[in-house]
Amino acid sequence: MLKNIMDSVREKSPIVHNITNYVTANDCANILLACGASPIMADDLEEVEEITTICHGLNINLGTLNCRTVESMLLAGKKANQLGHPVVLDPVGVGASVFRTKTAFCLLEEIQFDVIRGNISEIKTLANGKGTTKGVDADIEDVITEDNLMQTVTFAKEFSKKCGAIIAITGAIDIVADSEKAYCIYNGHQMMSSVTGTGCQLSAITAAYVTANPKNKLEAVVAAICSMGICGEIAYNRLSSMDGNASYRNYIIDAIYHLDGEILQNRANYRIL
């Protein structure tokens, strides 16, 4: 299944509209190209609806949120809903400020998202109305472990049922859930947290995978997260003694470029709950 999902991305080469943050826009564009998709990075109010019309999917990222782009996100999201295009939300840092939190809830009220991907603190904030996000990082008290895994899976399923979106919680253990089924994913490497934007890149890839596989959205999100995790492992094994996080970032993108369906299928490490 995962192999077919990945192959579909390369065969269809979906155009993904990204309203993302300026810290990681270049990396998001490059990793979309690496996975076989085609990126458009447009956030001006005057063109977002038109750009959404010529794309196949939409990725909304709150990383460097500003008043100018909030309305653009709303317009693009509503247009994508009208067109039946998949929409992904990355609620970066939600809970860190009133403005950021209010914007996230406004988007949830006005747009139907297919996938919401964030760390556990961000997702808890969206579900509970408040949280303890530390900037763009999860609060250490929220970290997912084997001890609280079942509780977190139940929480993810309940939130998915409430909001009608697939919930992807990423961390040391990743959880991808709809209201009935959850995948717990164990791929990845801890060094990925030392590179700014791996989460943003993952959201972009997720949009591409879901867009190319509209009939298998849950498994498409699983494939995207497994792909990124596997490539984090491959990239780490490529590092030399002279390499650091900048090389690691590039090696991750290289690994996505060279990843094939057989490697994804064989190295994906997950269980279903």
Side-chain angles (χ1 to χ4, degrees):
M1 172 66 78
L2 299 187
K3 178 183 183 301
N4 293 338
I5 286 170
M6 181 181 172
D7 290 344
S8 182
V9 178
R10 297 198 183 275
E11 290 167 4
K12 295 180 180 179
S13 190
I15 303 172
V16 179
H17 179 194
N18 299 268
I19 302 180
T20 188
N21 72 79
Y22 55 70
V23 176
T24 63
N26 182 260
D27 287 342
C28 289
N30 278 321
I31 210 156
L32 280 169
L33 290 170
C35 81
S38 181
I40 293 182
M41 326 300 280
D43 63 14
D44 193 86
L45 188 64
E46 294 298 319
E47 69 169 354
V48 288
E49 289 182 294
E50 185 178 359
I51 292 297
T52 296
T53 301
I54 66 171
C55 293
H56 306 116
L58 174 64
N59 173 39
I60 293 177
N61 179 301
L62 305 188
T64 50
L65 190 64
N66 61 73
C67 294
R68 179 183 64 81
T69 56
V70 172
E71 189 62 29
S72 296
M73 292 174 180
L74 288 167
L75 287 176
K78 290 178 181 179
K79 175 59 72 172
N81 283 168
Q82 291 174 9
L83 296 169
H85 294 175
V87 188
V88 174
L89 174 65
D90 188 340
V92 180
V94 64
S97 72
V98 173
F99 172 56
R100 189 170 293 269
T101 305
K102 287 177 65 176
T103 298
F105 282 111
C106 178
L107 293 172
L108 287 177
E109 289 176 3
E110 298 292 334
I111 300 167
Q112 177 58 56
F113 290 97
D114 295 84
V115 184
I116 301 172
R117 189 220 64 83
N119 65 44
I120 181 60
S121 297
E122 291 163 345
I123 300 300
K124 278 188 173 181
T125 298
L126 294 182
N128 301 328
K130 60 181 180 179
T132 55
T133 299
K134 305 298 184 184
V136 299
D137 299 318
D139 192 315
I140 192 170
E141 295 181 2
D142 288 335
V143 172
I144 302 171
T145 66
E146 290 293 344
D147 290 337
N148 62 20
L149 184 60
M150 286 303 302
Q151 177 183 348
T152 309
V153 165
T154 299
F155 157 75
K157 288 180 178 179
E158 290 175 350
F159 185 41
S160 175
K161 184 176 182 179
K162 177 182 177 181
C163 68
I166 295 165
I167 304 302
I169 305 172
T170 50
I173 303 171
D174 304 313
I175 297 173
V176 179
D178 61 15
S179 60
E180 298 180 354
K181 183 191 293 185
Y183 289 79
C184 300
I185 302 169
Y186 295 86
N187 290 112
H189 192 278
Q190 62 184 10
M191 190 176 176
M192 296 176 79
S193 64
S194 71
V195 177
T196 297
T198 51
C200 300
Q201 293 175 62
L202 175 55
S203 293
I205 289 178
T206 297
Y209 274 55
V210 170
T211 299
N213 296 275
K215 295 183 179 180
N216 295 293
K217 292 179 182 178
L218 182 66
E219 286 71 26
V221 179
V222 173
I225 291 177
C226 287
S227 295
M228 193 70 179
I230 290 166
C231 288
E233 298 165 1
I234 292 170
Y236 180 79
N237 290 332
R238 183 181 169 186
L239 292 172
S240 72
S241 60
M242 295 298 292
D243 289 328
N245 63 340
S247 298
Y248 187 50
R249 175 194 63 192
N250 291 335
Y251 292 163
I252 290 173
I253 297 174
D254 288 345
I256 290 288
Y257 182 85
H258 289 289
L259 187 67
D260 63 40
E262 293 293 341
I263 295 173
L264 172 60
Q265 192 74 46
N266 292 333
R267 291 189 60 159
N269 182 12
Y270 63 85
R271 60 189 176 113
I272 302 173
L273 294 176

